[in-house]
Amino acid sequence: MTLLSVNLNKIAVLRNSRGGHEPDICRAAQTCIESGCGGITVHPRPDLRHVRPDDVRALAAMLRGRVEYNIEGNPFAAPRGAYPGLLALAREVRPTQVTLVPDSDGQITSDHGFDLSRDLDRLRPLVDELAAIGCRVSLFVDAGSQDFAAAKAIGVKRIEIYTGPYAEAFAEGEPDAALASCAATARQAQQAGLAVNAGHDLSQANLGTFKAAIPGLAEVSIGHALIGEALYEGLATTVRNYLQILR
């Protein structure tokens, strides 16, 4: 079975928009765990616009020994203010997996992966350090990437295929080419000895088609669509509960 890791960034966005502690990110994680998910994902950024370092620490304390913990981020983003840097956070909380993503500070969301032919040399010491503290390392890559044997050689254990273009093509009714590219990339990575994760804009609508095309898919990380779908699906029940109180 492919592991579902729920990305909780959007819970933090909603909390931060109002201030205070609600909705509580640890309560959200607990709800996901009780519902059967196998992992929790967060992507702290230096500007603290959603998940913050204190959230990373609080989740680590509650998740340890229960489900997998995946922290995403740019390992080259400099520490600033309350943000100590991705590697410093990893050293402190020892997550199951660290997914390295080449996003810049100004990006609204991740929109591309590493260029393995260019970036592996500078990633090597970071992969070594993360492996030394017991973290599995995954690299965020675009469909069509290559050089997976070289990634394996520096200690990378997994790739995460950026599925944004597939999701966009699926919504437009023409997913075949993007799906084929993802499937070919997954096969090449697996042949090199890497496990394959996937994430970005996967949803209830497009996930089944994607999973069927990727035998051995290890993990999907889903947040934006999942939180939105949960909002719509839960609103009716919550509104009825309020109406019952008001009768």
Side-chain angles (χ1 to χ4, degrees), residues 237-247:
T237 298
T238 304
V239 168
R240 285 194 293 268
N241 289 343
Y242 274 97
L243 290 173
Q244 184 63 35
I245 294 169
L246 295 171
R247 284 193 176 94

Side-chain angles (χ1 to χ4, degrees), residues 191-240:
Q191 289 167 359
L194 299 174
V196 175
N197 299 342
H200 204 90
D201 288 341
L202 293 174
S203 68
Q204 291 183 51
N206 62 39
L207 178 58
T209 301
F210 185 85
K211 184 179 185 301
I214 315 289
L217 181 64
E219 176 183 318
V220 292
S221 174
I222 306 179
H224 184 80
L226 187 151
I227 299 301
E229 290 160 349
L231 173 66
Y232 294 133
E233 293 171 8
L235 269 175
T237 298
T238 304
V239 168
R240 285 194 293 268

Side-chain angles (χ1 to χ4, degrees), residues 97-139:
Q97 177 174 270
V98 175
T99 301
L100 304 181
V101 182
D103 59 342
S104 63
D105 289 357
Q107 286 181 232
I108 294 175
T109 185
S110 304
D111 64 6
H112 66 283
F114 283 105
D115 179 341
L116 299 185
S117 64
R118 181 192 66 201
D119 295 327
L120 286 181
D121 282 346
R122 66 179 185 145
L123 286 167
R124 182 192 299 269
L126 309 179
V127 174
D128 286 343
E129 182 172 353
L130 290 167
I133 61 174
C135 299
R136 182 175 69 227
V137 178
S138 177
L139 296 184

Side-chain angles (χ1 to χ4, degrees), residues 10 33 35 55 64 75 93 105 109 133 138 155 158 161 170 178 182 215 236 239 243:
K10 289 299 183 293
I33 293 167
S35 299
D55 297 322
R64 188 162 288 113
V93 305
D105 289 357
T109 185
I133 61 174
S138 177
R158 296 189 180 188
I161 299 174
F170 186 97
C182 289
V239 168
L243 290 173

Side-chain angles (χ1 to χ4, degrees), residues 74-96:
N74 185 347
F76 303 113
R80 70 204 69 171
Y83 181 75
L86 181 67
L87 266 67
L89 279 173
R91 284 193 295 268
E92 185 176 348
V93 305
R94 308 291 178 97
T96 316

